[in-house]
Amino acid sequence: MKLLVIHGPNLDLLGHRDPAQYGSETLAALDARLVEAGQARGVEVACRQSNLEGALVEWLHEALPASHGGEGAFDAVVVNPGGYAHTSVALRDAFSVAVEAGLPVVEVHLSNVHGREDFRQRLLTGAVASGVITGMGSASYLLGIEAALRLAEHTD
Ligand code: DQA
């Protein structure tokens, strides 16, 4: 199994940005733990980050099965879309295409977006994701990986 973790905008600043919301761990340290968690489960985890909306869309396309125009490189995807979760129709459409193609896409957020500002309550992407995990800090990613693999393995 191969799993892709995508971090969206501003998550490259983890550890420096608003630690009360997002914790003090850097993105590099988090990614190392996600790769390790995958190894413990016999799964290859690849982590990518971009601040660019189009890059996130293209990575989702790449992960699509070959039968749906992708490279079939991944069995499941975990995405923290950052602020694009609340604004991006393009990313939402890419989520829909992937889920409809049978590729599990689990959306994760470090903070509990439901307890924050009104504009964070609307999850354009989360509404069409396979599922959403929010508010568990870095555990959101670990739980997201577990959920995505269960969906890919049909052990949910
Ligand atoms: C976030 C929540 C978003 O509202 C915010 O824009 C982020 C981080 C989270 O992980 O809690 O950049 O996705």
Side-chain angles (χ1 to χ4, degrees), residues 78-100:
V78 170
V79 188
N80 183 345
Y84 291 140
H86 318 298
T87 62
S88 175
V89 173
L91 191 55
R92 175 195 169 99
D93 288 347
F95 271 46
S96 285
V97 168
V99 171
E100 280 163 23

Side-chain angles (χ1 to χ4, degrees), residues 98-111:
V99 171
E100 280 163 23
L103 180 71
V105 180
V106 175
E107 175 164 326
V108 300
H109 295 279
L110 292 154
S111 63

Side-chain angles (χ1 to χ4, degrees), residues 30-139:
L30 172 60
D31 281 347
R33 286 204 296 128
L34 301 181
V35 169
E36 257 176 45
Q39 279 164 356
R41 219 179 171 291
V43 170
E44 195 178 320
V45 173
C47 301
R48 301 179 188 171
Q49 188 277 333
S50 180
N51 296 316
L52 307 181
E53 187 177 8
L56 310 183
V57 170
E58 287 187 353
W59 288 336
L60 276 164
H61 288 183
E62 182 189 325
L64 288 171
S67 56
H68 290 74
E71 296 177 15
F74 296 99
D75 301 290
V77 187
V78 170
V79 188
N80 183 345
Y84 291 140
H86 318 298
T87 62
S88 175
V89 173
L91 191 55
R92 175 195 169 99
D93 288 347
F95 271 46
S96 285
V97 168
V99 171
E100 280 163 23
L103 180 71
V105 180
V106 175
E107 175 164 326
V108 300
H109 295 279
L110 292 154
S111 63
N112 182 355
V113 291
H114 300 301
R116 300 184 64 192
E117 301 94 328
D118 285 351
F119 64 84
R120 293 186 209 274
Q121 306 298 314
R122 190 179 64 157
L123 294 176
L124 292 185
T125 47
V128 296
S130 306
V132 181
I133 299 170
T134 185
M136 312 294 285
S138 61

Side-chain angles (χ1 to χ4, degrees), residues 15-30:
H16 309 284
R17 168 194 183 205
D18 196 353
Q21 284 297 350
Y22 304 122
S24 53
E25 188 174 33
T26 63
L27 184 62
L30 172 60

